[in-house]
């Protein structure tokens, strides 16, 4: 069978691969824009409290399962093929949602979609980190966050338009649109190259060198950059083959520091409370006095702001340190939460029957207090778009070693989705029971994230993913003394050039012996 041509421009590769992130965005806003429509409320009998929480968090529950599956699948079959496998779950889950006959089947469909999202959210960043050039790795991975946001934006306003359709066709049509990005991704994936680092890991070194050369040097296997980077990859790979096996490799020899960093940065992304605003901003704006279409349009504006400000970070993410953004973002978001919580605590009035009959929203504010809540909700989203939203995915993908990256990123994604599930489940009853205090809790957690980032997250910006290993090694400087840049790859490239000038034949060499090859030698397509 003839091989399909491969796209090697990393930006185009990222655009196709991150359609997997767009699936996540589609599912988020397919619920966000629908939950306050009369068609949804009537058909599902005005779900509130834990029932609505279960519907909202079902995606995250499935994502926990998908994240746990993702690592072993990705290590055996490859990053690219694990994403293809995820699409099958999405198609089934979407079909179940479109044909729903009640809350139970809706939750089931969202759980199945969540399995897909768990796989793609953990393995797409791994894939992108492993194919990206070190100087543009942040920009490449941030495309994943942009894809999520475009998915949210497109699906939100598509669902808003579907809200004008009468009867159950309203939400069935909206949910049926989720088939489109999955089909696009299925068609595009065979044209993407496999990760050169995964190919090296499974013993397919000749393919690994050629793929690396295609990405880095237009196919020139003898390019000094290709030679230097391949030698670095192989040196690290040999060391990892001699390291601990099984789950011990996530703890032994200082690996616990990476495991802590990768999992905690993903947990903080959820504990910052920003996704509560993303999921339930329509509720927040009901509290602030916005009704009906005005509420939906005002809520949709946040998604546009999300895209605009994450796009801004696309151009600056590799010039600004990861630590700087994580620390500043935690502090700024904490301030926003405290302002929203303080205003609601001081000026809100109880609404026993629920605002506009919505049983999840039992208090409201008006006048200047309302305007303050709206303004700081937008400011919170802007800050999140500039900091934790993109950086948490980038940082979590960078900190792992080659031997632990797929499963390690799966663990990081599990941390993200466990807290996503918990917050999605308990936020509706929290609005009913502790009301404004939920924002105070999130404010405290945001400051906690800034403290941990300062103390335990070394700077990874501008370094190859093999060099990141040194930042967590024994004797490494404390996190707060690390700086962006300073990659040793330039020196290694110069060393290769000097060897060539001296007349030495320098090539990216295949080291694999037959005994080293693995049985998962899947045929390339």
């Amino acid at each position: 069978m003839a091989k399909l041509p491969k796209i090697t421009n990393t930006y185009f590769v990222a655009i196709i691969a991150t359609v997997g992130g767009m699936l996540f965005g589609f599912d988020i806003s397919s619920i966000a824009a629908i939950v306050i429509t009369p068609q949804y409320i009537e058909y599902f009998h005005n779900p509130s409290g834990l029932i609505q929480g279960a519907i909202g968090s079902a995606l995250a529950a499935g994502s926990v399962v998908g994240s746990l599956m993702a690592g072993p699948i990705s290590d055996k079959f490859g990053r690219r093929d694990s994403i293809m496998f995820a699409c099958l779950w999405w198609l089934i889950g979407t079909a179940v949602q479109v044909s729903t006959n009640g809350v139970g089947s809706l939750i089931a469909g969202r759980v199945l979609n969540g399995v897909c999202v768990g796989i793609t959210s953990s393995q797409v960043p791994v894939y992108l980190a492993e194919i990206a050039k070190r100087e543009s790795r942040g920009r490449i991975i941030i495309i994943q966050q942009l894809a999520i946001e475009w998915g949210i934006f497109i699906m939100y306003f598509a669902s808003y338009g579907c809200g004008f359709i009468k009867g159950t066709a309203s939400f069935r049509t909206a949910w049926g649109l989720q088939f489109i990005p999955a089909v696009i991704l299925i068609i595009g994936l065979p044209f993407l190259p496999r990760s050169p680092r995964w190919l090296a890991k499974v013993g397919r070194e000749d393919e690994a060198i050629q793929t690396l050369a295609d990405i880095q040097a237009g196919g020139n296997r003898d390019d000094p950059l290709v030679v230097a980077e391949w030698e670095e990859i192989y040196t690290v790979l040999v060391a990892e083959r001699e390291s601990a096996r099984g789950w011990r490799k996530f703890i032994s020899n200082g690996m616990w520091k990476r495991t802590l960093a990768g999992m905690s940065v993903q947990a903080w992304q959820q504990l910052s409370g920003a996704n509560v605003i993303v999921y339930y901003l329509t509720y927040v704006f009901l509290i602030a006095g916005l009704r009906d279409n005005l509420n939906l349009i005002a809520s949709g504006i946040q998604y546009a702001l999300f895209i605009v400000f994450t796009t801004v970070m696309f151009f600056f993410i590799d010039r600004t340190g990861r630590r700087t953004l994580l620390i500043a973002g935690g502090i700024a978001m904490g301030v926003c939460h405290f302002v929203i919580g303080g205003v609601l605590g001081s000026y809100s009035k109880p609404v026993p029957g629920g605002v506009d009959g919505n049983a999840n929203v039992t208090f409201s504010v008006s006048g200047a207090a309302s305007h303050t809540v709206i303004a700081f909700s937008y400011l919170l989203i802007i800050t999140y778009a500039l900091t934790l939203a993109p950086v948490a995915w980038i940082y979590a993908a960078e900190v792992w070693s080659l031997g632990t990256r797929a499963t390690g990123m799966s663990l990081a994604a599990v941390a993200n989705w466990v807290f996503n599930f918990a917050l999605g489940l308990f936020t509706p009853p929290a609005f009913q029971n502790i009301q404004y205090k939920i924002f105070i809790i999130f404010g405290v957690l945001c400051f906690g994230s800034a403290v941990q980032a300062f103390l335990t997250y070394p700077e990874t910006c501008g370094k190859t993913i093999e060099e990141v290993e040194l930042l967590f090694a024994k004797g490494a400087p404390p996190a707060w003394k690390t700086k962006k840049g300073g990659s040793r790859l330039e020196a290694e490239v110069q060393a290769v050039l000097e060897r060539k000038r001296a007349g030495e034949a320098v090539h990216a060499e295949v080291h694999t012996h037959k005994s080293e090859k693995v049985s998962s030698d899947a045929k390339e397509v």
Side-chain angles (χ1 to χ4, degrees):
M1 179 179 176
K3 292 183 179 180
L4 292 173
K6 296 294 184 284
I7 299 168
T8 55
N9 181 293
T10 51
Y11 289 102
F12 284 112
V13 170
I15 288 170
I16 294 173
T18 56
V19 174
M22 188 173 285
L23 299 179
F24 176 24
F26 263 54
D27 204 274
I28 288 176
S29 52
S30 70
I31 287 294
I34 292 293
V35 291
I36 65 171
T37 61
Q39 299 96 316
Y40 175 89
I41 291 171
E42 179 182 351
Y43 187 79
F44 294 103
H45 309 295
N46 196 9
S48 62
L50 278 176
I51 295 177
Q52 180 56 46
I55 295 171
S57 63
L59 177 80
S63 296
V64 171
V65 177
S67 296
L68 290 170
M69 295 167 53
I73 292 171
S74 181
D75 279 336
K76 183 169 180 61
F77 299 105
R79 318 321 189 197
R80 187 193 68 180
D81 292 354
S82 69
I83 300 168
M84 180 71 82
F85 173 69
C87 292
L88 302 179
W89 291 87
W90 184 268
L91 296 177
I92 297 169
T94 299
V96 172
Q97 286 187 70
V98 171
S99 60
T100 182
N101 61 359
V103 170
S105 56
L106 175 58
I107 291 174
R110 285 178 58 74
V111 168
L112 292 171
N113 276 15
V115 174
C116 167
V117 171
I119 297 171
T120 58
S121 65
S122 62
Q123 297 313 304
V124 170
V126 168
Y127 176 67
L128 297 180
E130 291 186 345
I131 66 165
K133 301 175 182 179
R134 68 176 169 80
E135 66 271 15
S136 61
R137 189 171 60 243
R139 290 198 299 276
I140 293 296
I141 299 178
I142 210 174
I143 294 173
Q144 160 85 347
Q145 182 63 33
L146 279 168
I148 293 172
E149 293 164 12
W150 273 108
I152 292 172
F153 182 79
I154 293 168
M155 189 61 183
Y156 184 87
F157 283 102
S159 298
Y160 169 74
C162 291
F164 293 97
I165 301 173
K166 294 182 179 179
T168 64
S170 170
F171 51 80
R172 295 187 198 279
T173 303
W175 295 336
L177 294 174
Q178 295 179 121
F179 283 116
I180 297 172
V183 172
I184 292 172
L185 184 57
I186 289 170
I187 293 171
L189 279 172
F191 295 93
L192 303 189
R194 295 181 184 274
S195 160
R197 288 170 170 85
W198 175 79
L199 289 168
K201 182 175 180 290
V202 298
R204 293 162 60 174
E205 294 188 14
D206 189 65
E207 289 179 67
I209 294 168
Q210 188 58 56
T211 303
L212 190 65
D214 291 340
I215 292 170
Q216 298 278 25
N220 181 8
R221 296 166 66 112
D222 295 330
D223 184 275
L225 177 59
V226 174
V227 174
E229 189 160 355
W230 171 249
E231 287 180 353
E232 187 173 65
I233 291 170
Y234 186 76
T235 299
V236 171
L237 183 61
V238 169
E240 288 184 1
R241 283 173 177 164
E242 298 171 355
S243 62
R245 304 277 180 178
W247 289 102
R248 286 185 302 148
K249 63 187 176 184
F250 293 97
I251 301 172
S252 61
N253 298 323
M255 272 301 299
W256 67 269
K257 297 177 184 177
R258 298 198 211 186
T259 304
L260 174 65
M263 294 185 71
S264 63
V265 75
Q266 287 283 288
W268 285 125
Q269 190 191 57
Q270 293 301 320
L271 292 172
S272 70
N275 275 345
V276 169
I277 298 292
V278 172
Y279 282 14
Y280 294 112
L281 190 63
T282 49
Y283 289 172
V284 176
F285 281 177
L286 272 180
I287 294 169
L290 299 184
R291 305 284 190 272
D292 303 323
N293 286 337
L294 180 60
N295 184 318
L296 289 170
I297 293 171
S299 298
I301 290 172
Q302 72 150 332
Y303 302 130
L305 292 173
F306 220 151
I307 291 170
V308 168
F309 285 94
T310 302
T311 302
V312 169
M313 285 313 300
F314 175 84
F315 297 100
F316 294 99
I317 192 70
D318 287 310
R319 302 180 191 178
T320 309
R322 318 290 195 237
R323 280 173 49 82
T324 303
L325 293 172
L326 290 170
I327 294 168
I331 294 170
M333 290 173 64
V335 170
C336 290
H337 278 301
F338 285 143
V339 171
I340 295 170
V343 169
L344 292 176
S346 300
Y347 299 101
S348 65
K349 297 179 180 178
V351 183
V355 178
D356 279 2
N358 192 311
N360 291 294
V361 183
T362 58
F363 63 108
S364 66
V365 291
S366 59
S370 168
H371 300 155
T372 302
V373 169
I374 293 169
F376 275 86
S377 294
Y378 282 146
L379 187 58
L380 178 69
I381 290 299
I382 290 170
T383 305
Y384 183 59
L386 291 170
T387 57
L388 264 72
V391 180
W393 291 110
I394 296 168
Y395 196 79
E398 291 176 327
V399 299
W400 306 99
S401 64
L402 177 56
T404 61
R405 189 168 295 116
T407 302
M409 189 61 197
S410 293
L411 291 174
V414 166
N416 185 301
W417 289 112
V418 164
F419 284 106
N420 188 306
F421 170 76
L423 293 173
L425 182 64
F426 294 114
T427 294
F431 275 126
Q432 292 177 324
N433 298 319
I434 63 173
Q435 300 182 343
Y436 74 89
K437 297 183 186 72
I438 188 174
F439 293 100
I440 305 300
I441 293 171
F442 284 134
V444 172
L445 290 171
C446 283
F447 275 89
S449 74
V451 170
Q452 184 180 358
F454 177 79
L455 294 175
T456 67
Y457 295 170
E459 184 56 70
T460 59
C461 181
K463 298 174 173 63
T464 67
I465 51 179
E466 284 72 35
E467 288 173 326
V468 170
E469 302 217 4
L470 299 176
L471 299 174
F472 293 93
K474 186 176 181 180
W480 58 89
K481 290 187 178 180
T482 56
K483 298 179 180 179
K484 66 185 179 71
S487 173
R488 67 187 182 192
L489 187 61
E490 289 94 341
E492 291 172 353
V493 171
Q494 287 302 314
V496 171
L497 287 171
E498 290 297 327
R499 289 161 62 192
K500 286 195 170 188
R501 291 191 191 105
E504 183 179 345
V506 183
H507 308 285
E509 298 179 358
V510 175
H511 302 275
T512 303
H513 300 290
K514 290 182 180 180
S515 60
E516 291 178 313
K517 294 195 175 187
V518 298
S519 60
S520 61
D521 208 12
K523 294 291 184 182
E524 188 68 74
V525 294

